[in-house]
Structure formats: C-alpha cells, structure tokens
C-alpha cells in the first residue's frame, strides 16, 4: 500500500512545531509526510516561511495550497496532485492522538481490509468508519477494531 501522511497547517508555526515534535516520538513508519500550507492569516507571509522551514527541519515535504481553501478544499487540492497514493493518514496540527505507532497501525489495518474506507483512533482503539461498517468488533492485522 502506497501511503503518506498529510498535515493541513492552518495554524501558527509554533503550533506546527509542537505537533511535529510530538509526532517525532509517535511515528513508527517512514511514509512521506506532507505539510499542507493553508495560509494562516496572521503574519501570513512570515508564517508560511516558518512552516516551510519546519517542514524541512522535520523531514517533511511542504506543499503550498496557494490560499486559505478551507480544510476540504485544501485536501482536494493536494489530492489532485497526488493520485499515486492509495492511503492518506491525516494528522492535524491540533490532533490529540498520543498512541505510539498509530501510523503503522492504520497502514496495517487498511492494507488488510481496504474496504473499511476510513479509520480513526479514539482512546487508543481503532474505530472503523466506512460504507461497509463492521458488524462486530474484530481484530485486523493484530489491532483491535470496534464499530462506530
């Protein structure tokens, strides 16, 4: 499965820095991580440059949406240019995941059961969000999934 991580950065650079520091200890995969620059309006030009520098410092790929397109608009803009990925892990700058290895867990689960469509982590339990909802909790690829 060709996976990547995308962080929509509609935030001050310092918030992005805190998320990247936390993410550094949580990630276990080596998938590419894109920082989607979504043009935070306060000190916009300086903030964009600071976010680009942080992306490079943390080994991420900065991707400029060109304007504040909103979350959906900016993700669609990114997806239009990256159709080669089968899976995108979204990790917002204010995500509260604190589950080491969450990224690899998502990759394992989605590779084993791609018809789930979407997964989320809440309280260290992976939940499925899909058009094909799980009828009962189950273990997939060594991870426990519960139903929404």
């Amino acid at each position: 499965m060709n996976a990547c991580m995308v962080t929509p950065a509609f935030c001050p650079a310092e918030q992005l820095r805190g998320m990247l520091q936390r993410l550094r200890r949580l990630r276990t995969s080596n998938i590419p991580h894109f920082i989607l620059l979504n043009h935070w309006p306060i000190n916009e030009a300086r903030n964009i440059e600071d976010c680009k520098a942080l992306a490079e410092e943390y080994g991420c790929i900065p991707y400029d949406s060109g304007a504040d397109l909103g979350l959906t608009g900016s993700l669609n803009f990114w997806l239009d240019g990256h159709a080669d990925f089968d899976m995108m892990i979204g990790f917002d700058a204010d995500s509260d995941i604190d589950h080491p290895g969450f990224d690899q867990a998502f990759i394992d689960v989605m590779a084993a059961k791609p018809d789930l469509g979407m997964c989320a982590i809440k309280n260290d339990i992976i939940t499925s969000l899909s058009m094909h909802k799980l009828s009962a909790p189950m273990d997939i690829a060594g991870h426990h999934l519960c139903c929404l």
Side-chain angles (χ1 to χ4, degrees):
M1 179 165 278
N2 191 16
C4 67
M5 185 176 293
V6 176
T7 295
F10 186 71
C11 62
E14 283 308 305
Q15 183 177 359
L16 181 63
R17 177 187 302 281
M19 182 278 297
L20 289 167
Q21 289 171 342
R22 192 166 48 99
L23 192 57
R24 184 178 270 173
R25 69 178 172 77
L26 296 175
R27 284 188 67 184
T28 57
S29 72
N30 60 358
I31 60 175
H33 183 185
F34 292 86
I35 303 296
L36 184 53
L37 304 169
N38 282 348
H39 293 258
W40 181 253
I42 300 169
N43 298 318
E44 183 175 344
R46 175 60 190 243
N47 196 61
I48 294 246
E49 291 308 310
D50 291 348
C51 287
K52 283 180 186 176
L54 284 168
E56 292 167 11
E57 177 184 340
Y58 283 85
C60 303
I61 304 159
Y63 193 81
D64 195 339
S65 62
D68 175 9
L69 304 176
L71 178 61
T72 303
S74 64
L75 287 173
N76 283 330
F77 178 81
W78 182 87
L79 286 167
D80 285 345
H82 295 89
D84 49 331
F85 289 103
D86 305 314
M87 176 185 176
M88 178 190 76
I89 297 173
F91 196 88
D92 202 48
D94 62 358
S95 293
D96 64 355
I97 293 174
D98 198 23
H99 183 86
F102 77 93
D103 52 333
Q104 191 61 54
F106 281 145
I107 293 166
D108 295 346
V109 166
M110 294 303 291
K113 192 160 178 56
D115 64 327
L116 286 176
M118 185 175 165
C119 289
I121 289 183
K122 183 174 182 175
N123 300 326
D124 292 338
I125 297 173
I126 299 176
T127 56
S128 71
L129 305 170
S130 93
M131 295 173 63
H132 306 287
K133 280 188 143 183
L134 297 176
S135 57
M138 65 174 63
D139 291 334
I140 299 175
H143 302 283
H144 185 72
L145 271 73
C146 66
C147 306
L148 289 177

